[in-house]
Amino acid sequence: MIPLSLLDLAPVGEGQSPERALATTVDLARRADRLGFTRFWVAEHHGMPGIASSTPEVLIAAIAARTRTLRIGSGAVLLSGRQPRAVAEAFGVLAALYPGRIDLGVGRGGGTTVSLDAQLDQLGGHLTDPLGSALPHASAPAEVWLVGSSVASALVAAERGLPYAFAHHFFGPTDAVRALETYRSNFRPGPTRSVPHAMLTVHTVCGEDDAHARWLVAPALAPALGVAGLGPRSPFPAPDVAAALPWTSDQLDDAARLLDEQAVGSPATVRRRLHALAETTGADELMLTSNLTDGEDKLGSLGRIVAALGEGDRIRSAVAGPSR
């Protein structure tokens, strides 16, 4: 069985408050916990009115307090804008509060000339410093993951023996197959993993049928493609607003191409696409994400995914039995 996990960005819809977006993220995590998903990660973004998850460790604490079995983590803390000791302390406290349930996913981010290796060295020194009296000595410390979207980051993760999450969910070309092959072929046993473990993030929206799914995902595609002047920092429009925008023929073609790389469609389409991505990349785990802002739409999509990946499926999410 390939484990399934979730990533959420706390996306903010046009006219929606950040408070509502964050509450929807917590509700999604609680549902994922009842359904038996493996982990639930939140991202770090700054200066983006359309995304409310700017401080992962705060949101992780809120989610962990309201769930029971999920591993909760960051996908990812951006090391370029952080003090390594502050990151180590925050996740040390989280691991002490929720032993065995915290993941520290880290990525380089932009705006720095410091190499990823150097950033990881600085962070690692604080995570393992036995004299760091400010660091809580959790019985089950947070597991460090490297999150990236390139062959170069895959190689860094392999050489350090870290579990690796490849960000395939971006709306753009990725080289997931080569990155994961590089990771596996160069892996050296590390502090928490003796064998490689690669996770693939996939933009996943499951509608009642293919047309419904494309309608649901349109608010995420419109800013990514610059439809009607929207951009990556714009709040997400409602689905009916996004569908009514003046899409050009090129933008419609680009949207179709981008969706072909993800898992967006009817339950049958989503099931087929997730299987195909698992097969072609050899991923050990799939992490699903979407930018749906309406709570009912988001939970409805999740329910259809679970139903599509039923009992006995090689990729299966409902491993915990009936809802608690």
Side-chain angles (χ1 to χ4, degrees):
M1 299 296 181
I2 295 179
L4 282 188
S5 298
L6 294 181
L7 166 69
D8 200 69
L9 282 64
V12 181
E14 185 70 44
Q16 187 184 64
S17 68
E19 291 87 349
R20 180 180 171 189
L22 293 168
T24 297
T25 294
V26 174
D27 285 344
L28 182 68
R30 294 176 65 188
R31 181 70 61 87
D33 189 46
R34 291 194 295 268
L35 290 171
F37 279 75
T38 300
R39 61 189 92 240
F40 189 99
W41 285 5
V42 294
E44 176 179 344
H45 290 277
H46 300 282
M48 300 182 72
I51 295 177
S53 59
S54 57
T55 313
E57 53 268 44
V58 176
L59 191 48
I60 288 169
I63 292 170
R66 292 165 174 80
T67 54
R68 295 174 55 189
T69 61
L70 279 171
R71 289 192 67 96
I72 315 297
S74 54
V77 165
L78 304 179
L79 294 178
S80 59
R82 298 293 203 103
Q83 290 294 325
R85 186 177 185 87
V87 174
E89 289 177 345
F91 279 81
V93 170
L94 287 169
L97 287 169
Y98 306 103
R101 295 186 56 206
I102 302 299
D103 294 330
L104 170 52
V106 297
R108 180 174 179 231
T112 180
T113 58
V114 179
S115 71
L116 181 57
D117 269 313
Q119 291 173 331
L120 288 170
D121 283 340
Q122 294 170 13
L123 177 64
H126 290 298
L127 287 171
T128 59
D129 179 10
L131 302 179
S133 57
L135 301 182
H137 298 281
S139 59
E143 181 174 43
V144 178
W145 286 68
L146 185 58
V147 181
S149 58
S150 68
V151 173
S153 62
L155 184 59
V156 172
E159 291 176 341
R160 288 176 172 268
L162 297 174
Y164 180 62
F166 184 86
H168 178 72
H169 68 283
F170 295 152
F171 285 136
T174 68
D175 200 354
V177 172
R178 189 160 71 96
L180 267 59
E181 286 178 348
T182 298
Y183 171 69
R184 284 188 292 269
S185 61
N186 290 278
F187 185 84
R188 302 171 187 170
T192 61
R193 302 274 179 169
S194 59
V195 295
H197 186 88
M199 181 161 63
L200 187 79
T201 63
V202 186
H203 200 105
T204 308
V205 175
C206 191
E208 296 172 0
D209 52 32
D210 287 342
H212 182 224
R214 289 193 296 269
W215 183 79
L216 288 172
V217 81
L221 282 170
L225 295 173
V227 177
L230 294 177
R233 297 185 182 276
S234 303
F236 296 100
D240 56 343
V241 173
L245 293 174
W247 296 67
T248 67
S249 58
D250 286 344
Q251 288 168 339
L252 291 172
D253 290 342
D254 288 342
R257 176 178 52 80
L258 293 176
L259 293 182
D260 282 344
E261 298 297 319
Q262 306 299 326
V264 175
S266 67
T269 298
V270 167
R271 183 179 186 276
R272 174 177 55 79
R273 285 297 300 145
L274 292 178
H275 273 274
L277 286 165
E279 291 293 334
T280 56
T281 64
D284 301 296
E285 186 172 339
L286 296 178
M287 178 168 271
L288 315 183
T289 187
S290 78
N291 286 333
L292 300 180
T293 59
D294 181 84
E296 290 186 7
D297 287 342
K298 184 167 281 190
L299 294 176
S301 175
L302 182 65
R304 285 186 287 268
I305 291 167
V306 170
L309 302 176
E311 185 73 25
D313 201 322
R314 195 173 69 83
I315 302 174
R316 183 165 60 93
S317 61
V319 296
S323 298
R324 296 189 289 273

